Amino acid sequence: MARATLIGFSAVAMWALLALLTDASGKVPPFLLSAITFSIGTGVGLVARLFMPAAEKSPKIPPQVWVIGIAGLFGYHFFYFTALRNAPAVEASLIAYLWPLLIVLGSALTPGEKLAWNHVVGALLGLAGTVLIVTKGGGLAFDARYTFGYAMAAVCALLWSSYSLLSRRFPSVPTSIVTWFCAATAVLSLGCHLALEQTVLPNGAGQWLAVLGLGLMPVGAAFYAWDIGVKRGNIQVLGAASYAAPLLSTLVLIVAGVAEPSLRILAACVLITGGAALAAKSLFLRKPAAAETEATASESGAAA
C-alpha cells in the first residue's frame, strides 16, 4: 500500500509541472493542446506495454469502467476549460481544486475504507494552504454573474473525485486501460477544438518541447501513476497530499524565475505539508502485522 501511495503521489509531483510547461507552450488553444498532449499520453501507454509482461488472458472490462475513465479524463478538462471561459480564473481554480477534499470525504463510502479525523483535518489544512497559493494572499470575490462558470468548476471537482473513488472499485482492471482513456480524450478534445477554437500551433522548437513535456508527464505518465495510487494506495492520504500540487507548481515557477518567493508561500508550505503528514499519520504508525496483511491483500488484488 505504501509503495502504491508513493506512485500515486508521483502523479501529483508531475502535475506540478503543468503550469510551467503550459505557459511555455505558447498560445495554443486549450482543447487543441489537450488533443495533442493526450495523443502523446496515449503513446506513453503504448510504449509501456512493450515492457510489460504479456498477460495470459485479457480481463473483461466492465462497460462502466469505460464511462468512468472517459468521463474522468475528458470530462474534467472539458468542464475546467468551460469554467475558465465563464468565471475568473482564481475563483474557478479554487472551486475545481475541491476534488482532493471530496476524495478524502468520499472515501468513507468506499468498501474497506474508514474515514478518520486526521484525514479530514489534514485535507482542510491542505485546502487552506491552497487558498493562499491560488488567491496570492488576496480575497475572494464570488460574483453572481459568473454562477455558470462556478458551477462548471464544481462539476470538475465532482468528476475527478468521482473518477478517483470509482476507479478504486475495479482493482482488477489493469492500469494499461488508461491508454485508451487518453486516446478517447484526445479524439473528443480534437472535436471540441474544431468546433470551438481557432487553430494556433506551437511556434518553434521550445514550444514544441514544452508540449512534448506536457504529454509525457502531467498529461501522460501522471494518469497511469494516479491509477495505481487510487486503486492500491491509501486514498485518504493521496487525497490530502494532492493539495501539494499547487504548492509544488508555485515552487517550480519560483525556481524557473517566473514567480517570486514570499512568506505567503512559506505559510502555504507549512499548512499543506502539515496537513499531508497529519493525514498520513496512520500510515506511518501502522503496526507491522497490519502492514504485512495489507501488502498481502494488495498483491492478491494485483494478481487478480
Side-chain angles (χ1 to χ4, degrees):
M1 178 177 284
R3 180 173 177 271
T5 303
L6 287 174
I7 292 174
F9 186 73
S10 72
V12 178
M14 285 186 273
W15 287 331
L17 298 172
L18 190 61
L20 179 64
L21 292 176
T22 299
D23 181 68
S25 67
K27 298 182 179 180
V28 183
F31 282 116
L32 177 57
L33 186 61
S34 178
I36 296 172
T37 53
F38 271 104
S39 295
I40 297 171
T42 301
V44 170
L46 293 174
V47 171
R49 286 168 175 260
L50 300 177
F51 300 94
M52 293 178 181
E56 295 181 3
K57 182 180 180 181
S58 299
K60 184 177 180 181
I61 307 299
Q64 58 267 40
V65 169
W66 294 101
V67 176
I68 293 168
I70 296 173
L73 268 65
F74 172 72
Y76 175 85
H77 290 84
F78 176 85
F79 286 104
Y80 183 67
F81 295 150
T82 303
L84 292 182
R85 289 170 184 261
N86 293 276
V90 170
E91 288 80 8
S93 296
L94 190 58
I95 293 171
Y97 224 85
L98 287 173
W99 65 260
L101 180 61
L102 294 178
I103 286 177
V104 173
L105 298 177
S107 65
L109 304 176
T110 303
E113 299 294 344
K114 183 179 179 181
L115 186 65
W117 69 269
N118 58 298
H119 298 135
V120 177
V121 175
L124 290 174
L125 287 173
L127 178 59
T130 300
V131 170
L132 284 178
I133 292 292
V134 174
T135 64
K136 298 182 179 179
L140 290 172
F142 292 103
D143 191 322
R145 290 178 299 170
Y146 305 120
T147 299
F148 177 73
Y150 299 152
M152 295 298 96
V155 172
C156 287
L158 286 171
L159 275 175
W160 190 252
S161 58
S162 298
Y163 164 74
S164 301
L165 291 166
L166 291 173
S167 292
R168 194 172 180 83
R169 294 176 178 267
F170 300 93
S172 62
V173 174
T175 294
S176 58
I177 191 69
V178 176
T179 305
W180 309 121
F181 297 162
C182 288
T185 301
V187 171
L188 292 170
S189 295
L190 179 60
C192 288
H193 163 67
L194 294 175
L196 302 171
E197 298 174 335
Q198 181 178 356
T199 300
V200 178
L201 292 173
N203 183 18
Q207 292 186 7
W208 275 111
L209 283 174
V211 172
L212 178 62
L214 281 169
L216 291 176
M217 289 184 289
V219 192
F223 292 115
Y224 300 92
W226 185 251
D227 186 78
I228 294 171
V230 296
K231 284 179 178 175
R232 301 187 179 91
N234 187 313
I235 197 163
Q236 291 99 345
V237 173
L238 264 182
S242 294
Y243 277 118
L247 172 63
L248 293 174
S249 179
T250 302
L251 294 177
V252 168
L253 292 173
I254 289 174
V255 172
V258 179
E260 294 291 332
S262 67
L263 290 176
R264 169 182 56 84
I265 294 173
L266 177 61
C269 183
V270 172
L271 286 169
I272 293 173
T273 304
L278 182 61
K281 176 177 72 71
S282 56
L283 189 64
F284 296 144
L285 302 179
R286 194 180 302 278
K287 295 179 180 180
E292 185 176 335
T293 300
E294 288 192 349
T296 303
S298 179
E299 290 174 4
S300 299

